[in-house]
Amino acid sequence: MDVPSFELTGRVAIVTGGGTGIGKAIAFGLAGAGASVVICGRRFKTCESTLRQIQEKTGAKGMAYQCNISKKTDVETMVNDVFGSLGRIDILVNNAGVTSDYPFLELPEEEWDRVISINLKGSFLCSQAVGRIMARSKQGVIVNIGSQLGEVARPNKAHYVSSKGGVKMLTKALAVELAPYGIRVNNVAPGPVDTDLAAPVLSDPRLRSEVIGRLPIGRIGKPSEIVGAVIFLASDAASFITGVTLYVDGGYVAI
Ligand SMILES: NC(=O)c1ccc[n+]([C@@H]2O[C@H](COP(=O)([O-])OP(=O)(O)OC[C@H]3O[C@@H](n4cnc5c(N)ncnc54)[C@H](OP(=O)(O)O)[C@@H]3O)[C@@H](O)[C@H]2O)c1
């Protein structure tokens, strides 16, 4: 009888947006499970500082990388450099994301483009560049970070919910197409979590209690509470799981 393993020793993981918030917690978690971690984001100093903290705590190997995931040349340069330096890429966590709030009738075209190009196109570009490398080695795991708002809508979020609904379907499409190459693709969909991204809503006491009132679990999540699902899906313990969305949302979409 095989015993499931959550070990990631010897694996190389790229975490986009790994410098802050949920991505930072995920990078810490993957490193704690034994992986080398590549932290990428547009703010290099933030990525570098997070990597230093991870290395002090876990001793993990890794790299910090400045990369705008909505730019194909940035993504290809990063992926080639990571592969050149570390010799393999086993795990990609498409975590980087942005949001904003606009009533739909006032949503500027540029803002629609910005959110879609980071949240959805960025996941496409990173998955394609990393997927080509994984396909050659006939193994790999991609974990997308979607959102509960890829399943249910909220006012003022047409661009964001569309991007995260897109991530959910991109997950299924890649799971189907990449399975023959030994690549699994899944989607972790957090609910409301205290980070910079959510601060405009969650730091407003009225809006915060409105969100909490919507959550069966009765509180906002912490970045560290998203990590276990990502480690699980990235590990061999999830070897028969592909194409799923795992909600880590305090029950948000259960109602
Ligand atoms: N917090 C929540 O309530 C919540 C709920 C559901 C889903 N999520 C999802 O969780 C993910 C992480 O968000 P978070 O809450 O942890 O917010 P966060 O702390 O603001 O993290 C977002 C990260 O993405 C990076 N990023 C943004 N645009 C980028 C780009 N073009 N290229 C590379 N990196 C980029 C940012 O770094 P730079 O600015 O340095 O580039 C930042 O490190 C997002 O996909 C978000 O949609 C969050």
Side-chain angles (χ1 to χ4, degrees):
M1 180 77 173
D2 290 339
V3 177
S5 170
F6 298 87
E7 265 286 320
L8 300 176
T9 304
R11 311 213 181 154
V12 172
I14 297 177
V15 183
T16 69
T20 65
I22 293 171
K24 179 175 180 175
I26 291 169
F28 259 95
L30 295 174
S36 302
V37 286
V38 178
I39 315 274
C40 93
R42 292 165 302 182
R43 288 165 294 169
F44 178 67
K45 282 200 167 139
T46 306
C47 298
E48 207 176 30
S49 152
T50 294
L51 179 66
R52 210 173 311 115
Q53 292 167 41
I54 290 174
Q55 290 183 320
E56 276 164 18
K57 182 127 195 237
T58 67
K61 282 196 288 185
M63 292 170 74
Y65 214 98
Q66 181 169 36
C67 172
N68 182 340
I69 58 150
S70 64
K71 293 193 175 155
K72 188 176 179 180
T73 49
D74 270 30
V75 170
E76 288 181 344
T77 305
M78 172 181 71
V79 170
N80 289 335
D81 282 359
V82 169
F83 187 64
S85 300
L86 300 176
R88 54 192 295 155
I89 303 173
D90 304 281
I91 301 162
L92 167 67
V93 183
N94 283 313
N95 163 81
V98 291
T99 193
S100 60
D101 287 76
Y102 283 94
F104 176 66
L105 297 179
E106 291 156 31
L107 175 59
E109 181 185 0
E110 301 72 36
E111 189 57 7
W112 170 274
D113 287 345
R114 185 181 78 92
V115 169
I116 298 288
S117 81
I118 295 174
N119 296 4
L120 183 54
K121 183 180 158 192
S123 299
F124 150 63
L125 289 174
C126 293
S127 299
Q128 190 178 60
V130 171
R132 285 174 176 155
I133 286 172
M134 290 175 168
R136 290 208 297 270
S137 56
K138 287 269 177 197
Q139 61 88 35
V141 181
I142 298 174
V143 181
N144 294 323
I145 304 300
S147 170
Q148 91 280 21
L149 298 182
E151 180 66 28
V152 294
R154 262 187 78 81
N156 304 329
K157 291 266 185 213
H159 48 339
Y160 184 74
V161 304
S162 301
S163 74
K164 294 298 186 176
V167 166
K168 182 179 172 184
M169 282 313 295
L170 182 66
T171 302
K172 292 190 186 198
L174 300 194
V176 170
E177 276 203 53
L178 300 182
Y181 299 99
I183 303 169
R184 294 186 296 105
V185 187
N186 291 297
N187 183 30
V188 169
V193 174
D194 271 314
T195 65
D196 293 347
L197 175 138
V201 170
L202 297 181
S203 62
D204 176 313
R206 187 184 57 80
L207 295 175
R208 188 179 182 89
S209 65
E210 198 181 295
V211 173
I212 290 173
R214 171 81 175 70
L215 280 164
I217 241 169
R219 64 175 175 82
I220 303 298
K222 294 181 283 194
S224 60
E225 293 183 293
I226 310 304
V227 179
V230 177
I231 293 177
F232 165 55
L233 289 171
S235 75
D236 294 346
S239 54
F240 201 51
I241 303 178
T242 197
V244 306
T245 290
L246 175 49
Y247 292 96
V248 187
D249 68 346
Y252 194 105
V253 302
I255 298 181

